[in-house]
Amino acid sequence: MSIPPGPPPSHEPYPQQGPYGQPGQPAPYGGPQGWYAPQAPQKNNALAIVAFVMSLVCAIPLVPLILGIVALSQIRKRGEKGKGFAVAAIVIHGVTIAFYGILLILGLSGALDEGSSAQRDTSGQVTASGSVKVSDIRKGDCFNTNGDLAEYQDEDGGEASFSVRVVPCDQAHEGEAYAVFNLDNGTYPGTEKVTALAEEKCAGTLLTDYVGKDPKLAEKLEVYYYFPQAATWALGDREVTCFLGDSSGARTGSVRATGS
């Protein structure tokens, strides 16, 4: 009896188990494979930066505040950077407005006036020099301003202080008030209209009734006036004070004509 031969030996190697799975299959690596677009960097909101810069240089009132609020709205909608700049602009300009508001109130109330108050006799004439608010200047008062009258020579005038120092007219002084009157109530008509009304009335009979018609006097002295601005108008200021001054220096004695 013979045993039939077995199948010829195979020369092909047995498939080997790879270390990462079955042969020919991709090895897993944390999940599905794919392409991912890089995220675009956030941009700074330009309006927020402009508002911040304007708040530092004390630009046009309220503009930095408005720009900061608009910038915050844009940042929320667009996902931009710059919230810190916008918030800082709002805070800085808000503090600035509050600061100048307090100064204005203190100035109008006379709390910032320097020195003692002026003294007057029973007729109202100044007997001892002292500081008074511009709104407390009376007809016939002689006074010294806190600035040079030459600064007010141009058509636009100049920024006047809230107070002056009144003195007896026989002492050296820069100005002498010859008329005080109020403008009509209503909404503020604008600086151009107010100055036109003040100039027209101050240069009329109010002047000649006070000084007479001495032509030499007109050559030496200039007409000036204090007038209400928008901020003081809102607080009830309607007063215009007309006065004569010599921009070349102080003078002594009153220019008031006898009997005026």
Side-chain angles (χ1 to χ4, degrees), residues 148-161 191-192 195 199 223-227 229 243:
D148 188 353
L149 289 182
E151 296 179 1
Y152 309 142
Q153 289 293 327
D154 59 11
E155 294 181 357
D156 296 329
E159 191 70 24
S161 60
T191 301
E192 186 175 346
T195 54
E199 186 172 353
V223 172
Y224 299 88
Y225 44 86
Y226 291 117
F227 60 91
Q229 299 183 12
F243 66 97

Side-chain angles (χ1 to χ4, degrees), residues 126-203:
V126 176
T127 58
S129 62
S131 181
V132 300
K133 293 184 292 184
V134 168
S135 59
D136 289 334
I137 296 175
R138 303 181 187 180
K139 177 181 177 180
D141 280 354
C142 295
F143 57 89
N144 288 307
T145 66
N146 292 333
D148 188 353
L149 289 182
E151 296 179 1
Y152 309 142
Q153 289 293 327
D154 59 11
E155 294 181 357
D156 296 329
E159 191 70 24
S161 60
F162 291 113
S163 64
V164 297
R165 189 167 187 82
V166 295
V167 298
C169 289
D170 58 0
Q171 296 181 13
H173 57 272
E174 297 172 304
E176 181 175 349
Y178 63 87
V180 178
F181 62 90
N182 288 327
L183 298 175
D184 294 335
N185 288 323
T187 58
Y188 186 66
T191 301
E192 186 175 346
K193 180 65 174 179
V194 169
T195 54
L197 291 171
E199 186 172 353
E200 178 184 1
K201 199 162 185 180
C202 286

Side-chain angles (χ1 to χ4, degrees), residues 6-238:
S10 174
H11 298 288
E12 295 180 3
Y14 288 101
Q16 299 294 321
Q17 180 86 11
Y20 297 107
Q22 296 297 323
Q25 295 194 3
Y29 189 75
Q33 304 297 306
W35 296 98
Y36 294 91
Q39 187 174 4
Q42 289 180 303
K43 296 180 179 179
N44 280 312
N45 183 274
L47 205 59
I49 298 174
V50 172
F52 178 71
V53 173
M54 292 184 70
S55 69
L56 293 178
V57 298
C58 297
I60 305 172
L62 298 180
V63 171
L65 188 66
I66 296 172
L67 292 181
I69 295 173
V70 175
L72 284 178
S73 177
Q74 291 181 351
I75 289 170
R76 280 194 296 268
K77 292 179 181 178
R78 302 174 184 175
E80 295 176 326
K81 296 191 297 183
K83 181 178 179 181
F85 285 119
V87 172
I90 294 172
V91 172
I92 292 172
H93 198 65
V95 171
T96 302
I97 291 175
F99 173 74
Y100 283 111
I102 292 172
L103 283 183
L104 177 61
I105 293 173
L106 291 177
L108 293 176
S109 67
L112 299 180
D113 293 346
E114 298 180 356
S116 58
S117 300
Q119 297 181 12
R120 301 177 183 272
D121 59 19
T122 55
S123 65
Q125 295 294 313
V126 176
T127 58
S129 62
S131 181
V132 300
K133 293 184 292 184
V134 168
S135 59
D136 289 334
I137 296 175
R138 303 181 187 180
K139 177 181 177 180
D141 280 354
C142 295
F143 57 89
N144 288 307
T145 66
N146 292 333
D148 188 353
L149 289 182
E151 296 179 1
Y152 309 142
Q153 289 293 327
D154 59 11
E155 294 181 357
D156 296 329
E159 191 70 24
S161 60
F162 291 113
S163 64
V164 297
R165 189 167 187 82
V166 295
V167 298
C169 289
D170 58 0
Q171 296 181 13
H173 57 272
E174 297 172 304
E176 181 175 349
Y178 63 87
V180 178
F181 62 90
N182 288 327
L183 298 175
D184 294 335
N185 288 323
T187 58
Y188 186 66
T191 301
E192 186 175 346
K193 180 65 174 179
V194 169
T195 54
L197 291 171
E199 186 172 353
E200 178 184 1
K201 199 162 185 180
C202 286
T205 56
L206 290 176
L207 175 59
T208 55
D209 288 346
Y210 187 85
V211 302
K213 297 182 179 180
D214 184 357
K216 293 183 179 179
L217 187 64
E219 295 175 1
K220 297 178 181 178
L221 301 176
E222 295 285 344
V223 172
Y224 299 88
Y225 44 86
Y226 291 117
F227 60 91
Q229 299 183 12
T232 59
W233 186 279
L235 298 175
D237 180 21
R238 303 290 185 273

